[in-house]
Amino acid sequence: MTGDVQSSYKYRAFISYSHADDDVSAWLLRALESYRIPKHIRLKEGKAPLPKRLGRIFRDREDLPATGHMTDRIFEAIAESEFMIVICSPDAVASKLVNREITEFKRLRSDNNILCLIAGGTPFAKHASQECFPEALRLTLPNDGGKTGFAVEGLAADARDEGDGKRQAFLKLVAGMLDIGLNDLVRREHQRRQYRISAYAIAATIGMTVMGGLTFEAYRARHQAEDALALAKEKSDEAEKNLAELEDLSVFIMSSVYDELITAGSLSVLERVSGKIVNHLDRIGTDNMSLSQRGSLIGSHLRLGQALERQGESTRAREYFDAARLWAKDLYTRYPNDATAIGRYQTALFFSGYLSRRQGDYLAAERDFTERLRLTRIGLETNPTSLDPHMKKIKGHWEEEVADAEANLCNLQYVPLGKPLQALENCKSSVALRQLIIEMQPDVKEHWVNLASSYLFLANSYLALGRNVEAKEALLNRLTIYVNILDREPRNYRILRRAAMTQQRQAQIEDMQGNTAKAISLFDTAKKRFDILTGQDPANVMWLADSADVYRDYAAILLRAGEQESAKALLAVAEEQITRALASDMSRTNRRLCAHRTRLLKAQLMLEQDHEEKARAYLKEAVAHFEGEDTNYLRAPGALEHASELYLFLGDLLSREGDTEGASKAWRHVTSLYETATPTKTPKVRARVASAYQQLGDTARAAELATAKIVAR
């Protein structure tokens, strides 16, 4: 063998297997290609250092013929492979191709270079149907062309649960290819596992993990090593069990515990828990991670980023989201047909797009959300399996991922991208898919929560198109889901927030329809719910900003109803809350919009109370802050509505003071913003722009806008 120098062959090994053992061969390929040879073994063994990795492994996934005929590609690969690894099973015994490949390899290379991995069946079975070793493997081929018996059982790694198990069997193959002794690799594997477990910092002290690689040298020393192997196997089983429990615990913390902390509103605890897991996983190093651990690393970075973003630390959150997205893309590139790889990448794209949308980078969000929808549809169409034991098949899993991807793309299209009709179709599809999922699993609460989210985005799409009745129905469906949950879980703060925001949206529609009393009642209920939330966790900047928005909307309707003092008190709370939220994080467009609208309402309140000088000062401040935004800001939902209201009010105030030229300039600015803006022009925007055209004397254009219909872009 050639363990003391780097292999001169193109492939370190050729994997020969039956189609029926495709899952085992896929696992083995990934394990071999990702394995890093321990440093002290690389430097110690032989005349020259070994390479860091085993090298390329040949496993033909697409061109394996169903017959016993071998392609030129297979002949070439066998000739260019240093070792052959035969996946042994009754199916391999029955495979003409496997026997032909073994025969061809023996013609070129020594029997010593053939390693076996038992995937099923029995070595040298009494009944032929149970035999796992192919005939070409059980026989040697002397130079005279005859056949002689050759026992290979001692050289085989047994991947069955009742045998070595996958990990120990894998290490046997590694030892065979490197032609190294047992003790060093046993000790190194023990050290590596100790390091990984301590990195998790979860109480588990494991013993020695063993490989039992039986090269010919090890085979000759088998009797002397039996006692050591028995002890090592006992420790290996214990280590594997502990490691599996640790990975299960990590998944539990990043899913169930995380959701409980979100529900309870404990962001500071959430950040600490997420941060510790991130640090532990980082110390392991991606090169030493299994597929499952890479998935956990990506998930933990996303969770920590989400916790930081909720506390207003968007810059730090972006760092974790971007790192997770890059790792997830690399994982998907390596394993494009694995459910874990597809799932982690599409989740990372969601968080990246989610933050881009909140920060006003709508083109970046569209890129991420569109790619995410493509990936989830691949998952739905192919329903891939995974080598990650934590990636269990859940009924309706890929339907839910597609539904969520459609909903988030809809939420981006309805105003920011100016595609309300496309948004409506995506949202309808999302609602339909989630209703289907609930039919399959009606008792899963999270399915109902997800359906409620799709109803919100559907309502937004209807509102952008001026279809208020259908929007109200969608919001009522959403609120009904939340009320049912809160009846059972009154301290579920996550749902309480969403219920309050739904009532805020309902109140806005009632206000547009002239139902002032009903709107006021809805705003009052929403306000009280946010009072509970901000009292529960004052550090939650998301809740604080959302509360400010409700207080401002409530103050606006009370001002129009003539209740100036009540409006003034509510507006003061809104200003204080949004100021605190912005002090923590100014990157969120919706928070800046809330601040802009609060300044404008202050000016409107002063004018209603006949304080024209203060009104002018507040309005000047409002205009200055708004003009500090870039042009992309107008894509944000509600931004164009605010701009038209701001400059329309400015024109009216200047006209009231006799500044006809200044008033006309302000009104023309309203019309100019409308004609050049790319986001969806909602009915509320069109009504305000029509008013500006009316003030400018262009009654024809005003009438045209009043009757205009939204068309797809």
Side-chain angles (χ1 to χ4, degrees):
M1 294 190 187
T2 57
D4 58 336
V5 294
Q6 184 167 342
S7 175
S8 60
Y9 293 91
K10 181 177 181 180
Y11 301 105
R12 174 70 77 169
F14 179 106
I15 300 178
S16 178
Y17 67 102
S18 161
H19 278 294
D21 296 320
D22 185 73
D23 289 347
V24 179
S25 68
W27 159 75
L28 180 60
L29 176 69
R30 295 185 180 111
L32 291 170
E33 289 187 335
S34 62
Y35 183 75
R36 290 176 65 90
I37 301 172
K39 184 176 180 180
H40 82 280
I41 290 179
R42 289 194 294 107
L43 299 179
K44 175 182 176 182
E45 293 294 326
K47 301 176 182 178
L50 293 170
K52 292 182 179 180
R53 296 186 183 275
L54 294 171
R56 297 178 64 185
I57 309 295
F58 183 90
R59 169 184 174 267
D60 194 329
R61 301 176 58 191
E62 298 176 355
D63 298 333
L64 279 176
T67 67
H69 300 294
M70 293 174 60
T71 64
D72 289 342
R73 182 185 180 199
I74 292 178
F75 275 115
E76 292 172 2
I78 289 175
E80 295 173 336
S81 297
E82 181 179 3
F83 293 93
M84 172 172 280
I85 299 175
V86 182
I87 296 180
C88 302
S89 70
D91 292 302
V93 172
S95 171
K96 294 180 180 179
L97 181 61
V98 171
N99 278 277
R100 288 289 307 278
E101 287 173 343
I102 296 170
T103 301
E104 176 64 16
F105 188 85
K106 284 187 173 186
R107 189 179 66 81
L108 299 172
R109 210 87 68 243
S110 165
D111 284 352
N112 296 11
N113 288 60
I114 298 179
L115 304 173
C116 307
L117 181 75
I118 300 175
T122 304
F124 305 108
K126 293 181 180 180
H127 300 289
S129 62
Q130 299 175 0
E131 177 59 55
C132 69
F133 289 140
E135 181 184 23
L137 193 64
R138 287 181 280 125
L139 300 173
T140 58
L141 302 175
N143 293 334
D144 61 7
K147 297 180 179 180
T148 62
F150 177 59
V152 296
E153 181 181 6
L155 300 174
D158 192 345
R160 299 172 301 174
D161 291 339
E162 63 270 26
D164 301 317
K166 276 189 173 181
R167 184 62 187 173
Q168 188 176 343
F170 165 73
L171 289 172
K172 284 186 178 183
L173 297 178
V174 172
M177 284 189 284
L178 297 179
D179 191 18
I180 61 176
L182 295 176
N183 292 338
D184 280 344
L185 201 54
V186 167
R187 184 165 54 251
R188 173 56 188 169
E189 184 67 6
H190 167 62
Q191 292 170 348
R192 185 183 68 83
R193 288 185 178 276
Q194 288 277 10
Y195 180 73
R196 288 170 61 192
I197 299 306
S198 64
Y200 273 108
I202 301 172
T205 303
I206 67 172
M208 182 167 53
T209 301
V210 68
M211 47 67 67
L214 295 178
T215 60
F216 273 92
E217 175 187 353
Y219 181 64
R220 290 192 296 268
R222 180 173 182 175
H223 294 294
Q224 291 85 346
E226 280 182 350
D227 291 342
L229 285 173
L231 176 62
K233 187 177 187 307
E234 178 184 345
K235 294 297 184 180
S236 174
D237 292 342
E238 178 185 347
E240 292 290 348
K241 181 176 180 294
N242 288 334
L243 185 58
E245 289 175 353
L246 287 173
E247 293 191 1
D248 286 339
L249 183 56
S250 176
V251 171
F252 171 71
I253 290 172
M254 297 316 298
S255 55
S256 300
V257 172
Y258 185 92
D259 291 338
E260 287 299 320
L261 291 172
I262 285 290
T263 297
S266 305
L267 285 184
S268 58
V269 177
L270 182 59
E271 182 186 350
R272 289 199 299 274
V273 171
S274 304
K276 285 184 177 181
I277 292 180
V278 165
N279 291 336
H280 294 326
L281 289 170
D282 280 345
R283 284 200 291 271
I284 295 175
T286 56
D287 288 338
N288 297 318
M289 288 184 182
S290 65
L291 177 65
S292 173
Q293 290 169 329
R294 284 173 183 253
S296 295
L297 176 68
I298 294 164
S300 61
H301 272 69
L302 294 175
R303 289 304 199 188
L304 180 53
Q306 189 178 11
L308 292 169
E309 199 272 340
R310 285 173 179 269
Q311 295 181 90
E313 298 188 51
S314 293
T315 301
R316 288 182 63 199
R318 170 58 72 187
E319 293 175 2
Y320 284 102
F321 287 162
D322 286 350
R325 180 166 53 82
L326 290 174
W327 281 326
K329 184 176 182 180
D330 177 69
L331 192 68
Y332 173 67
T333 301
R334 290 169 181 252
Y335 311 112
N337 300 314
D338 185 87
T340 298
I342 296 173
R344 289 304 186 191
Y345 189 27
Q346 66 90 13
T347 302
L349 286 168
F350 162 74
F351 280 104
S352 177
Y354 151 88
L355 187 56
S356 293
R357 177 177 61 80
R358 288 182 178 273
Q359 293 180 333
D361 191 350
Y362 299 108
L363 295 180
E366 181 182 23
R367 176 200 65 211
D368 289 340
F369 285 165
T370 300
E371 175 65 3
R372 183 195 178 207
L373 181 56
R374 184 187 73 83
L375 288 174
T376 57
R377 284 175 173 166
I378 289 175
L380 180 59
E381 291 166 4
T382 63
N383 193 27
T385 57
S386 177
L387 296 175
D388 181 354
H390 300 109
M391 192 72 177
K392 300 183 177 77
K393 289 184 179 179
I394 301 172
K395 197 172 184 180
H397 168 75
W398 287 110
E399 284 86 351
E400 168 53 35
E401 297 298 346
V402 172
D404 192 64
E406 288 175 333
N408 280 281
L409 189 56
C410 161
N411 193 36
L412 191 65
Q413 291 171 325
Y414 85 101
V415 166
L417 297 181
K419 303 174 182 178
L421 294 178
Q422 292 94 318
L424 186 61
E425 290 306 309
N426 273 323
C427 269
K428 284 182 176 180
S429 177
S430 178
V431 167
L433 269 176
R434 281 174 164 165
Q435 288 173 334
L436 177 64
I437 293 167
I438 286 176
E439 288 180 10
M440 293 188 289
Q441 296 178 310
D443 297 327
V444 179
K445 179 184 70 176
E446 200 61 27
H447 292 339
W448 289 96
V449 174
N450 293 337
L451 176 60
S453 295
S454 290
Y455 275 131
L456 172 63
F457 301 147
L458 179 62
N460 287 341
S461 299
Y462 279 132
L463 284 172
L465 293 164
R467 295 163 63 171
N468 293 344
V469 174
E470 291 156 304
K472 286 175 68 172
E473 181 182 2
L475 289 172
L476 180 60
N477 289 334
R478 173 180 165 91
L479 184 62
T480 300
I481 293 172
Y482 292 153
V483 169
N484 289 336
I485 295 175
L486 290 171
D487 283 344
R488 299 188 301 271
E489 305 173 25
R491 295 179 66 83
N492 189 328
Y493 298 117
R494 172 191 178 203
I495 299 302
L496 192 67
R497 168 183 173 261
R498 295 186 182 190
M501 295 179 72
T502 304
Q503 290 175 307
Q504 177 190 15
R505 205 75 167 131
Q506 289 177 311
Q508 292 168 346
I509 299 176
E510 297 295 346
D511 185 28
M512 285 189 289
Q513 294 180 327
N515 302 322
T516 304
K518 192 169 184 179
I520 288 175
S521 176
L522 286 165
F523 275 129
D524 191 59
T525 303
K527 179 193 80 69
K528 289 175 181 177
R529 283 180 161 162
F530 268 112
D531 288 345
I532 295 172
L533 291 169
T534 55
Q536 166 66 22
D537 187 3
N540 193 319
V541 181
M542 178 186 289
W543 290 355
L544 195 67
D546 292 340
S547 176
D549 204 45
V550 169
Y551 267 90
R552 198 222 73 90
D553 278 355
Y554 194 4
I557 195 172
L558 289 179
L559 180 59
R560 290 194 297 276
E563 300 182 30
Q564 295 180 7
E565 291 306 313
S566 296
K568 183 177 180 180
L570 291 172
L571 187 58
V573 176
E575 184 176 23
E576 186 270 336
Q577 289 182 334
I578 196 59
T579 299
R580 284 168 54 199
L582 286 175
S584 175
D585 181 10
M586 290 192 64
S587 68
R588 299 274 284 269
T589 55
N590 62 328
R591 293 176 190 172
R592 299 203 306 276
L593 177 60
C594 179
H596 293 323
R597 296 176 70 223
T598 299
R599 296 185 191 98
L600 175 57
L601 189 57
K602 284 173 62 178
Q604 292 169 334
L605 175 63
M606 290 298 101
L607 190 61
E608 286 292 325
Q609 295 182 331
D610 295 325
H611 300 309
E612 290 192 22
E613 187 174 341
K614 285 187 176 180
R616 194 182 308 110
Y618 285 141
L619 186 58
K620 182 179 179 181
E621 178 186 3
V623 170
H625 277 85
F626 177 78
E627 291 181 347
E629 300 284 356
D630 58 37
T631 54
N632 192 52
Y633 173 79
L634 289 176
R635 288 177 176 267
L640 193 57
E641 292 178 0
H642 168 71
S644 59
E645 182 183 11
L646 175 66
Y647 289 102
L648 189 62
F649 179 71
L650 175 60
D652 292 344
L653 181 60
L654 292 174
S655 177
R656 178 172 174 166
E657 295 174 349
D659 186 354
T660 304
E661 183 178 351
S664 296
K665 182 179 178 181
W667 292 327
R668 284 195 299 272
H669 193 54
V670 174
T671 61
S672 176
L673 286 174
Y674 176 85
E675 301 296 351
T676 58
T678 57
T680 302
K681 282 61 176 286
T682 65
K684 186 179 289 187
V685 170
R686 294 202 309 273
R688 287 173 178 159
V689 176
S691 180
Y693 273 116
Q694 191 73 39
Q695 294 286 7
L696 291 168
D698 191 344
T699 56
R701 179 60 174 150
E704 181 183 352
L705 283 175
T707 58
K709 293 183 179 180
I710 295 177
V711 296
R713 291 178 61 235

